Amino acid sequence: MTDATQHTLPAGPSIKGKLSRDDIIMRGSMVVIGLYLLITMVFPLYAMLSKSFSTFQFDLSAYEVQVSDEAGATFSNPIRLNDLNEQLKVLEDSDMIAGSDGRLGVTQFFPDFSFRSPVKYRIRNTTDEGRFLVGSTLTDSTEWVELDSNTFRRVQLRPVKSTGFGNFRSYFATPALSNSIKNSVLIATISTIVTVTLAFWFAFALSRSCMRFKGLFRLIAMAPILVPSLLPGIALVYLFGNQGMLKELLFGASIYGPIGIVIGSVFFTFPHAFLIISTALAISDGRLYEAATSLRATPWRTFWTVTIPGARYGLVSAAFVVFNLVITDFGLPKVIGGQFNVLAVDIYKQVIGQQNFEMGAVVSVVLVLPAILAFAIDRFVQSKQVALLSARSVPYQPKPNKKADWILFSYASLIGIFIIGMLAVCQFAALVKFWPYDLSFSLNNYQFDRMDGGGWGAYYNSIKLGLLTAIVGTAIIFFGAYLVEKSNGFKTGRAIFQMFAMLPMAIPGMVLGLAYIFFFNNPANPLHAIYGTMAILVVCTVTHFYTVSHLTATTALQQMDREFESVSASLKQPTLKLFGRVTVPVCLPSILDISIYLFVNAMTTVSAVVFLYSPTTSLASIAVLNMDDAGDIAPAAAMGMMIFYTNAGARIFHLIASRGILSRTQAWRNR
């Protein structure tokens, strides 16, 4: 062998595939939608987090004062306000903590002060950070300002901004605030246990028995999704309030507090738990039950060794979903919570009641932590789930059992009565003239223009918001999911996009709404123009409900083979043409599901928009809250029922339209 043949050939140049026009368009579109999520989710959350670490406190050492004699001619030597405070012990260190709009009067440092006195005063800042107000005039210079006694009483010090954990220390040092953490976790835990238990047996009755009216029971179980979370609170007031129909059943206990919150939470979270658990029970392998029967296992043993293990992932997922919904809900505890503080209501009180935005941001950060933890555990559990059905699996078919079927039918009937009863009470309250003194029927409670809350305009705004959210949101979300699933290469970009798309599910609506205040209400922000308009409500609602819609779209797209893209490329057809003529028609069922999901949630959402509406963009769900606050409980129930009927009508229209559209676009599925 020659020396020439022993030498290896030099490495050739690395060859990188050239991006096609379609690849560039898809990657560019993904970047655009990624920027949308960055601007509407990440930046506002960062602004809120920064706000929580912004502390404001009064620095008395930054001010000097002089006091004249009775004639107002000779002034004393300058003295700092902190030295005066040490002598007189007027304020403690805790009194120095303030909000961004805090003010501190200076006359309290002069025990003999009288605004009728001829004594004159001088005050100045000793540092560039010092600021004080004389009436409404801000002074930030270090020059002396001479004032008479009558004007001096209008002097107010302004706090100095700094960064640190002071707000968090103040929060945890205030028992009334920090107790909200314990209350929220306690309520969420109890509600989760009760809801998952009730939903499991309801789903078990529908999937493991031969009882009648299964379709009707399934329809009833979905009803609470169509109403805002405030409505069960109103129903409970009429049932168990101070003048309630059934208040004696509580044996003297009050519905205003943890009892009411738990019952209402069970009502509005029940459909979510039922859907997840019924899906888990529907995929059981019938062969396992046949094996248990052949081994002469008792029904009780079969239940614990076959049914529960098969549904365990659904149970865990349902538990964390319910926990997250309850701990982040604002509407229900606001209506029925009484003096029982929870985190979501604390945010509202800090921002709306006390205008303390920094402390509101602190409570938001505290609320986000358990929500993110529950979301992370849920995703981890789902990642561990393995396929329970194989190609050889046999669908489970329940066998008639008259006794068991009757017991399960009775149980399902009780749940149905509970759900229908809550809605019926609200409808009854909306129709009576004056509860409980005049029970004759009237439509006076539907004259919303005479009530606080925005009138019929709020209702029409909600429909407008729902339609815009459904149209704009469905287009953005489905196209974004298509880009993630069908793009070639660009793994890093797709992974980042997927992370942004999953983030909204872990962020409570009230936290997102508060974050929007800090980000979009900044005059230096180029997007400040949309603040207070319908546009910001649409953006917030689409972002808040982005994740579930994104997962629905990706699930549908994953069922489409990539051969469609390969065939399109071989025929030199643009990707967007394939998207419009093949992908959209094939995935039309999921697209319609996303649109109705966004519409219904836009109609019922409260927490995400409670900080963002203006007098011209008030919504029906917010009108329910405002009317309840004003004592107009019956009109609030009427508006809540209008939301229910609108969503029910939208669902029916969606069902009819879907059948008509799908019969033309999905005929290929029946070949």
Side-chain angles (χ1 to χ4, degrees):
M1 204 176 254
T2 62
D3 293 340
T5 59
Q6 293 178 353
H7 294 291
T8 58
L9 294 174
S14 58
I15 301 175
K16 297 183 69 175
K18 185 178 179 180
L19 291 177
S20 66
R21 179 173 173 271
D22 287 342
D23 289 336
I24 295 174
I25 292 174
M26 294 182 74
R27 294 188 182 190
S29 301
M30 191 185 304
V31 170
V32 170
I33 300 180
L35 285 174
Y36 164 83
L37 290 172
L38 196 69
I39 293 171
T40 60
M41 173 61 65
V42 180
F43 287 171
L45 291 176
Y46 176 77
M48 186 199 69
L49 187 63
S50 301
K51 196 75 172 179
S52 68
F53 289 101
S54 297
T55 59
F56 292 86
Q57 57 184 10
F58 297 105
D59 183 9
L60 298 182
S61 64
Y63 308 96
E64 281 186 339
V65 293
Q66 289 181 301
V67 185
S68 74
D69 55 15
E70 288 293 331
T74 305
F75 283 86
S76 64
N77 293 327
I79 183 171
R80 293 178 185 266
L81 289 181
N82 63 318
D83 294 331
L84 277 176
N85 188 50
E86 289 180 4
Q87 295 174 15
L88 301 174
K89 305 296 182 184
V90 177
L91 300 174
E92 302 291 338
D93 289 341
S94 59
D95 298 325
M96 301 300 175
I97 301 174
S100 58
D101 199 39
R103 287 168 171 79
L104 183 67
V106 296
T107 56
Q108 58 188 312
F109 298 103
F110 302 93
D112 300 329
F113 174 81
S114 172
F115 70 92
R116 296 187 179 92
S117 170
V119 175
K120 293 185 178 181
Y121 296 85
R122 288 176 178 173
I123 184 171
R124 75 181 184 102
N125 299 306
T126 60
T127 64
D128 293 335
E129 289 78 19
R131 299 179 303 156
F132 61 88
L133 291 169
V134 181
S136 59
T137 304
L138 181 66
T139 302
D140 55 6
S141 67
T142 56
E143 300 295 328
W144 285 103
V145 178
E146 186 172 322
L147 305 166
D148 58 38
S149 295
N150 188 42
T151 307
F152 186 69
R153 66 173 177 167
R154 300 171 60 199
V155 174
Q156 292 182 317
L157 308 182
R158 298 286 279 122
V160 178
K161 181 180 179 180
S162 60
T163 303
F165 291 91
N167 292 328
F168 289 91
R169 285 194 293 267
S170 176
Y171 175 80
F172 288 106
T174 307
L177 292 175
S178 58
N179 282 343
S180 298
I181 302 175
K182 179 184 69 176
N183 292 343
S184 295
V185 173
L186 176 66
I187 290 296
T189 302
I190 296 174
S191 300
T192 299
I193 295 172
V194 175
T195 304
V196 172
T197 303
L198 294 177
F200 173 80
W201 286 108
F202 191 84
F204 185 86
L206 267 60
S207 62
R208 293 291 190 272
S209 74
C210 295
M211 71 179 196
R212 302 174 64 188
F213 307 118
K214 289 184 179 181
L216 178 62
F217 283 122
R218 189 177 298 274
L219 192 65
I220 293 172
M222 293 296 102
I225 287 182
L226 306 179
V227 300
S229 62
L230 303 96
L231 204 61
I234 295 174
L236 291 172
V237 170
Y238 277 95
L239 284 171
F240 304 107
N242 295 330
Q243 295 178 323
M245 309 173 190
L246 307 173
K247 66 177 182 179
E248 292 80 8
L249 295 181
L250 292 182
F251 301 104
S254 175
I255 195 65
Y256 299 99
I259 297 176
I261 299 175
V262 169
I263 297 175
S265 297
V266 170
F267 175 85
F268 86 86
T269 60
F270 183 86
H272 302 274
F274 166 69
L275 280 175
I276 296 171
I277 296 172
S278 62
T279 302
L281 291 173
I283 59 174
S284 297
D285 190 345
R287 297 176 302 169
L288 298 176
Y289 291 89
E290 293 174 0
T293 302
S294 64
L295 292 173
R296 297 181 181 179
T298 62
W300 188 243
R301 183 174 178 82
T302 303
F303 174 79
W304 285 106
T305 57
V306 179
T307 304
I308 293 297
R312 65 185 183 278
Y313 292 111
L315 289 169
V316 173
S317 184
F320 284 109
V321 167
V322 171
F323 183 89
N324 216 340
L325 288 171
V326 175
I327 202 171
T328 60
D329 180 58
F330 158 73
L332 179 64
K334 179 68 174 66
V335 171
I336 200 74
Q339 301 301 314
F340 191 80
N341 291 333
V342 294
L343 288 170
V345 177
D346 273 355
I347 297 175
Y348 184 80
K349 289 180 178 178
Q350 292 294 329
V351 174
I352 301 298
Q354 302 181 29
Q355 296 290 300
N356 191 343
F357 290 90
E358 290 75 22
M359 192 58 70
V362 169
V363 183
S364 297
V365 172
V366 174
L367 178 60
V368 163
L369 295 178
I372 290 180
L373 180 63
F375 171 74
I377 295 175
D378 178 43
R379 301 305 299 178
F380 175 76
V381 170
Q382 290 187 20
S383 68
K384 296 295 183 181
Q385 187 171 357
V386 295
L388 296 178
L389 289 180
S390 64
R392 299 179 181 178
S393 297
V394 177
Y396 176 77
Q397 296 293 337
K399 297 178 181 179
N401 184 325
K402 191 170 288 188
K403 181 180 178 181
D405 291 347
W406 175 250
I407 293 174
L408 293 174
F409 177 80
S410 301
Y411 172 78
S413 298
L414 289 175
I415 297 294
I417 291 171
F418 167 69
I419 294 174
I420 294 176
M422 296 279 274
L423 296 175
V425 166
C426 287
Q427 184 57 77
F428 176 75
L431 290 176
V432 297
K433 282 187 177 179
F434 188 53
W435 172 265
Y437 306 107
D438 187 352
L439 301 183
S440 59
F441 289 148
S442 169
L443 296 178
N444 291 339
N445 293 322
Y446 286 90
Q447 296 178 0
F448 300 127
D449 290 330
R450 298 183 180 181
M451 318 290 179
D452 291 331
W456 280 103
Y459 173 72
Y460 298 134
N461 281 339
S462 281
I463 295 178
K464 183 179 179 181
L465 173 65
L467 292 173
L468 288 173
T469 301
I471 296 170
V472 176
T474 302
I476 293 174
I477 294 168
F478 184 79
F479 189 55
Y482 175 78
L483 296 173
V484 170
E485 289 298 323
K486 302 301 181 181
S487 293
N488 296 319
F490 203 40
K491 291 184 178 180
T492 303
R494 290 160 63 190
I496 295 174
F497 186 99
Q498 187 75 359
M499 180 185 68
F500 285 166
M502 299 304 295
L503 184 60
M505 183 177 278
I507 304 301
M510 180 156 281
V511 174
L512 185 63
L514 183 59
Y516 272 42
I517 294 180
F518 298 138
F519 183 69
F520 288 102
N521 198 27
N522 182 0
N525 188 340
L527 299 174
H528 173 69
I530 73 170
Y531 189 78
T533 67
M534 182 63 72
I536 195 171
L537 298 180
V538 173
V539 169
C540 182
T541 307
V542 171
T543 305
H544 181 40
F545 299 107
Y546 193 100
T547 303
V548 173
S549 304
H550 175 79
L551 291 173
T552 303
T554 53
T555 301
L557 290 165
Q558 287 169 357
Q559 295 174 357
M560 291 185 62
D561 200 303
R562 279 188 170 269
E563 287 184 2
F564 287 102
E565 282 71 27
S566 301
V567 172
S568 175
S570 65
L571 295 175
K572 297 183 179 180
Q573 296 297 312
T575 300
L576 293 181
K577 187 175 182 180
L578 171 71
F579 175 77
R581 293 193 176 184
V582 178
T583 306
V584 170
V586 169
C587 296
L588 199 56
S590 296
I591 294 175
L592 293 174
D593 287 343
I594 292 171
S595 63
I596 192 64
Y597 169 81
L598 291 175
F599 179 87
V600 169
N601 281 283
M603 288 291 296
T604 59
T605 186
V606 178
S607 58
V609 296
V610 70
F611 296 136
L612 302 177
Y613 73 96
S614 67
T616 58
T617 59
S618 182
L619 303 173
S621 57
I622 301 299
V624 176
L625 175 67
N626 291 336
M627 286 189 285
D628 179 78
D629 273 347
D632 297 325
I633 303 179
M639 182 66 86
M641 292 309 296
M642 287 301 301
I643 296 174
F644 170 72
Y645 293 132
T646 303
N647 283 334
R651 283 280 187 182
I652 294 171
F653 176 79
H654 166 261
L655 181 63
I656 296 173
S658 296
R659 287 185 176 180
I661 295 172
L662 298 181
S663 64
R664 293 193 297 270
T665 62
Q666 306 294 309
W668 59 274
R669 294 181 182 268
N670 299 323
R671 292 179 180 175

